[in-house]
Amino acid sequence: MKIAIIGAGPAGLAAALRLHQQGFSPVIYERVREIKPLGVGLDIKVYGVRELEELGLLEEFEAISNEAVDSIFYNNHGQEIYAEKCGKHMGYVHDQRFVHRGYLQMLLYRTVIERLGEDAIQLGVGLERYENTDSGVKLHLETRDGETIEREVDVLIGADGIKSVVRAQMHPTESSPKFSGIRMYRGVTVMDPYRDGHTILHIGAPRIASMIVYPLHLDYEGTGKTLVNWVVETEGEEMYEDWNTPGDVNDLIPLFDDTKLPFLDVQQMLRDAKEVYVYPLVDHDPLDRWVDGNVVLIGDAAHAMYPRGGNGACQSIVDGKVIAERLAANQDNPATGLQEFEDARREGVNRLVMANRGEAYEVVRRLVQDRTDAKRFDDIEEVLPMEEADKIFSHYHGLAGQPRPGYEDGETTGFRTWEVEDSWEVQNAATR
């Protein structure tokens, strides 16, 4: 079966590796001339780590990533709202890990070259349009030098991201991303480790500003410092979608005047940023179909979602596994395999897209904001009881395909850091 993949991002590369495991030899077409490790941080959930293990890449992935132990939520004053364990520390089989998007992409890129050969990725070649034919799909390609190329394949997989050419042809009236009214600033800072070096922080009140912070590397380039990824969301006007648009950190620092954490000066972290980018927070409305004949969408081309809850990249990687299995089971009728893939994935992932649009589990910070009018509280249990927060988190984790161990048996799966032995003071004193 001749399979073409458009796009050499994590979704397309992972799909190529999964297809190779099933005995196929797909070819990836990527418009850029050179793959570079661009981007900032990704939060890879336990099921995403499982996918990388099944690809035979766990050891290499662990070497470029950082284990997550705790996930803690704070209001705009730095008061703790809720905490949960991550990965194996919650009882899952796999870790949850933090990684630079570019490092993950380069790992997948190198592996595709090693396993499928140099010709498996055609750089500097983009798709202009496709045609479904009686025998498969005709690709109309164009090189960066203006040369036009035609290729006949059995299956076309559109993994070309939120601005997908494949999606635009398949859904011409539904190809424009939807702006949320929020600008997202993303940056990295090289700094001393906070807490135990394995904690993701969720800080702020949504109507003022929200911040997510997590450590990507504990000993960055041998300095003994930690490379910390941070994301700030704040209201703003719509802007051009370009992940590489520089942002001004001075726009953000005053938003956290009242945020006081005992282990992290968030304003200083912003001042010391190594790089800062600004991007409009966008997604796509869920589609009613991902398949057009022998053409299929995967990843952000099919289900771009807000980067809340750390599931966008993970769901894209899962797409590759399912589509490879369905095509392997329907080698005489690939259109049936593509439809089985859509039937298995679309409805559930669309629910996740809408859950992320509704703040996902970050809703706990808005609930506290609304119930306190963004003022300090005396007792979090009177504002957001543990039982209510546990229910919110367990529902969302279930949507993402990782039900929380113990919740259905009535166990409390969240915790208050000041009530447990492994509080941050203890963890920070321990040697990892």
Side-chain angles (χ1 to χ4, degrees):
M1 189 185 299
K2 293 181 180 179
I3 302 172
I5 299 172
I6 306 301
L13 294 166
L17 292 172
R18 282 297 196 179
L19 287 162
H20 181 255
Q21 286 182 329
Q22 296 290 345
F24 300 112
S25 298
V27 176
I28 300 175
Y29 295 96
E30 170 56 57
R31 192 176 296 274
V32 303
R33 294 181 188 271
E34 181 182 1
I35 304 296
K36 298 180 181 179
L38 302 177
V40 281
L42 293 175
D43 177 8
I44 304 298
K45 300 300 187 183
V46 293
Y47 67 92
V49 174
R50 181 191 65 223
E51 293 293 318
L52 292 167
E53 180 182 47
E54 291 178 1
L55 283 170
L57 295 174
L58 183 59
E59 185 175 343
E60 293 94 328
F61 176 63
E62 288 177 343
I64 62 170
S65 60
N66 184 29
E67 182 189 8
V69 174
D70 290 319
S71 178
I72 311 177
F73 294 73
Y74 299 89
N75 69 1
N76 52 305
H77 298 283
Q79 293 179 288
E80 184 178 316
I81 294 171
Y82 183 82
E84 66 170 346
K85 290 293 183 182
C86 303
K88 293 177 180 176
H89 305 275
M90 170 67 80
Y92 293 111
V93 174
H94 295 86
D95 287 339
Q96 175 180 332
R97 303 190 70 88
F98 309 129
V99 69
H100 191 290
R101 180 195 178 277
Y103 294 0
L104 175 60
Q105 182 179 11
M106 295 308 294
L107 170 61
L108 296 171
Y109 174 74
R110 291 192 302 270
T111 306
V112 169
I113 296 297
E114 290 168 4
R115 296 181 185 178
L116 281 76
E118 294 281 350
D119 294 338
I121 303 179
Q122 300 293 310
L123 297 176
V125 182
L127 179 75
E128 296 303 307
R129 62 187 178 91
Y130 68 83
E131 291 180 59
N132 272 306
T133 66
D134 291 340
S135 58
V137 187
K138 179 182 285 188
L139 312 183
H140 296 267
L141 304 160
E142 184 175 346
T143 71
R144 294 295 293 265
D145 298 323
E147 179 188 357
T148 58
I149 303 170
E150 291 185 0
R151 291 284 186 270
E152 295 275 356
V153 297
D154 299 299
V155 171
L156 172 62
I157 298 175
D160 47 343
I162 197 166
K163 297 180 181 180
S164 169
V165 172
V166 182
R167 179 190 175 110
Q169 181 173 339
M170 191 183 299
H171 297 277
T173 63
E174 300 174 88
S175 60
S176 298
K178 306 296 181 182
F179 178 54
S180 64
I182 294 173
R183 286 190 174 191
M184 184 171 63
Y185 292 77
R186 307 190 71 162
V188 291
T189 302
V190 179
M191 54 186 280
D192 290 332
Y194 64 85
R195 286 189 97 241
D196 61 346
H198 300 274
T199 300
I200 180 170
L201 308 173
H202 313 251
I203 305 166
R207 75 167 178 241
I208 301 171
S210 294
M211 174 185 285
I212 310 295
V213 185
Y214 53 88
L216 296 175
H217 300 283
L218 295 185
D219 184 18
Y220 180 64
E221 295 184 346
T223 62
K225 301 283 188 177
T226 298
L227 180 66
V228 172
N229 179 82
W230 53 262
V231 181
V232 173
E233 291 183 11
T234 185
E235 292 183 357
E237 296 181 358
E238 191 166 5
M239 58 180 290
Y240 180 71
E241 301 159 46
D242 184 352
W243 281 107
N244 299 310
T245 301
D248 187 351
V249 75
N250 292 309
D251 295 337
L252 308 179
I253 291 171
L255 300 174
F256 298 94
D257 281 344
D258 297 326
T259 304
K260 308 298 179 187
L261 294 172
F263 52 84
L264 176 64
D265 183 337
V266 297
Q267 291 181 314
Q268 191 61 49
M269 179 186 69
L270 295 173
R271 290 189 193 99
D272 293 341
K274 182 173 178 281
E275 50 188 318
V276 182
Y277 303 100
V278 61
Y279 189 82
L281 186 62
V282 296
D283 69 355
H284 280 303
D285 288 335
L287 295 174
D288 59 2
R289 63 187 177 94
W290 294 352
V291 174
D292 174 22
N294 282 28
V295 182
V296 65
L297 301 171
I298 68 170
D300 281 353
H303 47 72
M305 61 185 75
Y306 293 167
R308 293 171 174 160
N311 286 289
C314 295
Q315 290 295 323
S316 296
I317 294 172
V318 173
D319 285 345
K321 173 183 179 178
V322 179
I323 202 166
E325 291 175 343
R326 294 299 86 214
L327 286 175
N330 293 275
Q331 297 204 39
D332 294 332
N333 193 345
T336 298
L338 299 183
Q339 192 58 56
E340 289 181 2
F341 160 74
E342 179 186 309
D343 293 344
R345 296 283 294 150
R346 185 177 56 81
E347 185 176 339
V349 178
N350 281 351
R351 283 197 299 268
L352 193 57
V353 171
M354 297 309 296
N356 278 13
R357 190 177 286 185
E359 300 174 285
Y361 51 50
E362 299 291 350
V363 71
V364 297
R365 290 188 288 123
R366 183 179 60 77
L367 291 174
V368 170
Q369 167 195 277
D370 292 346
R371 294 172 186 181
T372 64
D373 195 26
K375 294 181 172 60
R376 294 182 65 87
F377 55 76
D378 293 324
D379 184 355
I380 184 58
E381 194 64 24
E382 294 179 357
V383 179
L384 182 68
M386 176 63 72
E387 182 178 357
E388 181 181 357
D390 253 4
K391 184 176 181 180
I392 291 168
F393 277 76
S394 294
H395 173 71
Y396 182 78
H397 286 313
L399 280 178
Q402 51 177 30
R404 297 175 94 185
Y407 180 75
E408 294 300 328
D409 297 328
E411 296 178 19
T412 299
T413 48
F415 67 98
R416 313 292 191 201
T417 61
W418 63 83
E419 293 178 349
V420 298
E421 260 184 16
D422 59 346
S423 64
W424 77 266
E425 294 93 345
V426 175
Q427 289 177 342
N428 208 38
T431 300
R432 284 191 172 273

